Amino acid sequence: FNTGEILTMITRRGVVKRTPLEAYRNVRRGGLKAIRLDEGDELFAVHKTDGHREILIAASNGLGVKFDENRARLMGRVSRGVRGIRLEEGENVVGTAALKPAENGAYDKTILTITQNGFGKRTDPSKFPLRGRGGKGVICHKLTAKTGALARLGAVSEDEDIFLITDGGTLIRTRVAQISETGRAASGVIVMRLSD
């Protein structure tokens, strides 16, 4: 717990909160309050970061924002957090990543996006501009009636496999390397065919 590491939390409504890991050293039997949530919000993701990461947050509308994690100040356990991405009514966070660029600015992972209708693509994280937190973001996946809304975003390595599971319980496994790498504004290719 004395590593200087941080728990970076992101909620469905786009709130970001960073708390030193050491604040969770003494966990009671009944648990500890980790974050104060607004009514109707819920915790979506938690990343262990080190103060040198870039946080990427994507929403169901296909927009994403990437910012230096230090743009969100450190807070205590029971605080609410700050706005990470600005969302319209009915939109939610669907994916997050905590990225660490190398000294030459390159990344060891790509950003995988998958839409509700089974379209997917990979994008180099350097294609996402580093900006301040709290904005609406930039296009991370071009959405159409054919693709449907953005369903998930995550950081992946080429040597990994991913599983895709439909709400009907159908599952496929595919190699990340088989999914095309394109720009931010592409619609992607069919990764999983879905029935009507």
Side-chain angles (χ1 to χ4, degrees):
F1 285 93
N2 291 320
T3 59
E5 292 176 308
I6 299 158
L7 292 186
T8 299
M9 307 177 194
I10 298 116
T11 75
R12 279 275 187 196
R13 297 296 303 146
V15 173
V16 175
K17 184 189 153 204
R18 298 170 64 236
T19 302
L21 180 61
E22 63 185 326
Y24 302 94
R25 174 194 304 273
N26 301 315
V27 179
R28 300 182 201 100
R29 180 174 289 174
L32 287 176
K33 185 79 170 172
I35 183 173
R36 184 167 51 86
L37 294 169
D38 295 335
E39 187 174 340
D41 202 357
E42 61 186 18
L43 188 60
F44 177 80
V46 181
H47 298 280
K48 192 163 66 169
T49 62
D50 55 10
H52 304 287
R53 303 283 171 150
E54 296 171 357
I55 305 299
L56 177 60
I57 305 174
S60 51
N61 61 2
L63 299 179
V65 62
K66 185 174 82 168
F67 57 91
D68 184 301
E69 69 170 296
N70 293 297
R71 291 288 190 123
R73 64 182 174 81
L74 291 173
M75 301 179 181
R77 281 191 302 102
V78 293
S79 51
R80 174 189 177 273
V82 294
R83 187 194 313 261
I85 187 171
R86 186 178 300 276
L87 301 173
E88 299 293 334
E89 192 64 38
E91 296 167 357
N92 284 304
V93 169
V94 294
T96 65
L99 305 161
K100 188 164 190 176
E103 288 186 18
N104 64 0
Y107 296 85
D108 61 350
K109 294 183 180 272
T110 56
I111 299 301
L112 173 69
T113 50
I114 303 285
T115 70
Q116 287 182 342
N117 292 342
F119 285 77
K121 69 181 179 72
R122 289 185 301 128
T123 306
D124 189 309
S126 64
K127 305 282 187 200
F128 293 84
L130 192 62
R131 297 204 173 141
R133 62 168 179 78
K136 287 192 169 187
V138 297
I139 292 174
C140 60
H141 196 118
K142 182 181 177 187
L143 301 178
T144 64
K146 192 175 177 180
T147 64
L150 190 61
R152 187 66 67 185
L153 171 145
V156 294
S157 300
E158 278 210 355
D159 58 353
E160 293 178 320
D161 289 0
I162 58 164
F163 289 93
L164 299 177
I165 307 170
T166 68
D167 53 5
T170 303
L171 178 145
I172 67 163
R173 175 180 176 180
T174 188
R175 306 248 344 128
V176 166
Q178 293 177 326
I179 300 172
S180 302
E181 187 173 335
T182 64
R184 285 188 299 105
S187 294
V189 296
I190 294 176
V191 179
M192 183 177 193
R193 294 190 183 278
L194 305 177
S195 63
D196 290 338

